[in-house]
């Protein structure tokens, strides 16, 4: 299932490769975040790419434009399929990331992070943003699309509004997916506002990122297949 991406939120190469071997063919790609990347480094990306996997490198680049462009070039050379940048890095940084990706031999998709799901409105105030979460998320998403990036990361409850505002061509990547099927019970962990996989796709998501409901399951392939079957019945 092309749209289902699995978050490899583990800290060893051995465990990551074990999960990939179990899930390859059932899911559409694997997300490597800062934890696994910091532990195991770029060679893990190369290994997965050699296996033909799509690698979503979620390192949320946020730096001056030149540095981000160089990081995007390096990620592209590894064969990364999709990567994240922080939209708060601004228009020039987003354009630099997008230009660097387009110039690559195998251009990765660049998707922008709006507001981290760990921030609430009180925390936004503390970092000097005195307006609603929704306004902040929507304006950052608009900035990302104006800058020419391929897509954005959006929580399930934001997807429908953002899809309506940004149109059909923008890629929307959605974490925060929880489903009763395949996990024995609704499993929320620290995901507060969740949607089931089919609901998220219906709301307009392009890709779903699922971590713990699959990787912490006693039977990851079965958990992945359960989500796939929900998506196939859309
Ligand atoms: O919750 P789950 O394990 O499915 O998380 C999958 C991905 O969702 C994580 O790798 C992380 O990037 C993202 N996440 C998030 N907000 C949270 C928890 C996880 O955006 N509160």
């Amino acid at each position: 299932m092309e749209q289902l991406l699995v978050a490899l939120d583990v800290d060893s190469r051995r465990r990551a490769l074990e999960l990939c071997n179990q899930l390859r063919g059932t899911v559409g790609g694997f997300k490597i975040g800062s934890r696994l990347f910091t532990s195991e480094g770029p060679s893990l990306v190369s290994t997965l790419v050699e296996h033909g996997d799509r690698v979503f490198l979620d390192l949320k680049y946020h730096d001056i434009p030149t540095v981000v462009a160089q990081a995007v070039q390096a990620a592209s050379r590894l064969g990364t399929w999709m990567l994240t940048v922080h939209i708060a890095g601004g228009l020039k940084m987003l354009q630099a990331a997008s230009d660097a990706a387009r110039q690559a031999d195998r251009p990765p998709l660049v998707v922008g992070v709006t507001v981290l799901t760990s921030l609430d409105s009180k925390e936004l105030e503390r970092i000097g943003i005195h307006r609603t979460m929704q306004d902040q998320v929507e304006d950052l998403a608009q900035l990302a699309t104006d800058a020419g990036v391929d897509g954005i990361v959006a929580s399930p409850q934001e997807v429908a509004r953002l899809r309506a505002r940004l149109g059909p061509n923008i890629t929307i990547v959605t974490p925060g997916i929880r489903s009763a099927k395949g996990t024995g019970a609704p499993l929320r962990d620290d995901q507060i506002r969740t949607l089931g996989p089919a609901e998220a796709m219906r709301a307009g998501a392009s890709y779903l990122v699922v971590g713990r409901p699959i990787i912490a399951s006693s039977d990851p392939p079965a958990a992945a297949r359960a989500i796939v079957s929900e998506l196939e019945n859309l």
Side-chain angles (χ1 to χ4, degrees), residues 58-104:
D58 183 21
L59 299 180
K60 300 186 179 65
Y61 298 133
H62 188 174
D63 211 315
I64 59 171
T66 319
V67 171
V68 169
Q70 289 162 343
V72 170
Q73 282 163 4
S76 307
R77 280 195 297 272
L78 289 175
T80 299
W81 163 71
M82 184 191 278
L83 59 85
T84 47
V85 296
H86 264 294
I87 300 171
L91 183 70
K92 290 208 176 79
M93 189 206 81
L94 296 167
Q95 286 170 334
S98 181
D99 289 347
R102 270 198 283 268
Q103 283 159 22

Side-chain angles (χ1 to χ4, degrees), residues 144-228:
T145 52
D146 293 347
V149 307
D150 301 286
I152 53 162
V153 180
S155 78
Q157 49 288 138
E158 294 156 0
V159 171
R161 285 184 68 95
L162 289 170
R163 176 60 74 201
R165 172 156 174 180
L166 303 174
N169 296 328
I170 202 82
T171 295
I172 302 183
V173 179
T174 307
I177 303 301
R178 288 297 180 270
S179 151
K181 290 186 195 162
T183 58
L187 172 65
R188 300 214 357 208
D189 304 309
D190 57 356
Q191 298 278 16
I192 296 164
R193 294 165 299 166
T194 63
L195 280 187
E199 290 171 289
M201 292 304 290
R202 273 196 292 269
S206 316
Y207 295 100
L208 307 180
V209 177
V210 180
R212 287 161 292 183
I214 294 176
I215 66 169
S217 155
S218 55
D219 187 347
R225 282 194 301 271
I227 293 175
V228 168

Side-chain angles (χ1 to χ4, degrees), residues 1-233:
M1 167 68 59
E2 210 224 330
Q3 293 92 335
L4 177 59
L5 309 177
V6 173
L8 296 175
D9 292 331
V10 296
D11 57 12
S12 80
R13 177 184 176 92
R14 188 191 57 75
R15 180 66 188 135
L17 293 178
E18 202 172 78
L19 283 165
C20 294
N21 288 338
Q22 289 180 311
L23 297 169
R24 189 171 290 124
T26 304
V27 305
F30 299 103
K31 180 169 89 75
I32 295 179
S34 42
R35 175 186 176 194
L36 184 57
F37 191 81
T38 303
S39 306
E40 296 293 356
S43 78
L44 178 62
V45 177
S46 308
T47 301
L48 296 188
V49 170
E50 279 160 23
H51 275 103
D53 296 327
R54 298 196 303 189
V55 176
F56 174 17
L57 194 57
D58 183 21
L59 299 180
K60 300 186 179 65
Y61 298 133
H62 188 174
D63 211 315
I64 59 171
T66 319
V67 171
V68 169
Q70 289 162 343
V72 170
Q73 282 163 4
S76 307
R77 280 195 297 272
L78 289 175
T80 299
W81 163 71
M82 184 191 278
L83 59 85
T84 47
V85 296
H86 264 294
I87 300 171
L91 183 70
K92 290 208 176 79
M93 189 206 81
L94 296 167
Q95 286 170 334
S98 181
D99 289 347
R102 270 198 283 268
Q103 283 159 22
D105 290 339
R106 286 170 295 173
L109 293 167
V110 177
V111 299
V113 175
T114 56
V115 177
L116 293 174
T117 58
S118 52
L119 300 187
D120 58 15
S121 44
K122 215 167 153 193
E123 200 67 27
L124 270 193
E125 287 272 334
R126 276 201 201 99
I127 59 170
I129 295 163
H130 305 287
R131 58 189 195 147
T132 66
M133 177 73 73
Q134 191 173 309
D135 285 350
Q136 180 69 1
V137 166
E138 288 193 16
D139 286 358
L140 285 175
Q142 187 67 57
L143 172 64
T145 52
D146 293 347
V149 307
D150 301 286
I152 53 162
V153 180
S155 78
Q157 49 288 138
E158 294 156 0
V159 171
R161 285 184 68 95
L162 289 170
R163 176 60 74 201
R165 172 156 174 180
L166 303 174
N169 296 328
I170 202 82
T171 295
I172 302 183
V173 179
T174 307
I177 303 301
R178 288 297 180 270
S179 151
K181 290 186 195 162
T183 58
L187 172 65
R188 300 214 357 208
D189 304 309
D190 57 356
Q191 298 278 16
I192 296 164
R193 294 165 299 166
T194 63
L195 280 187
E199 290 171 289
M201 292 304 290
R202 273 196 292 269
S206 316
Y207 295 100
L208 307 180
V209 177
V210 180
R212 287 161 292 183
I214 294 176
I215 66 169
S217 155
S218 55
D219 187 347
R225 282 194 301 271
I227 293 175
V228 168
S229 75
E230 281 187 58
L231 295 176
E232 281 169 350
N233 293 331

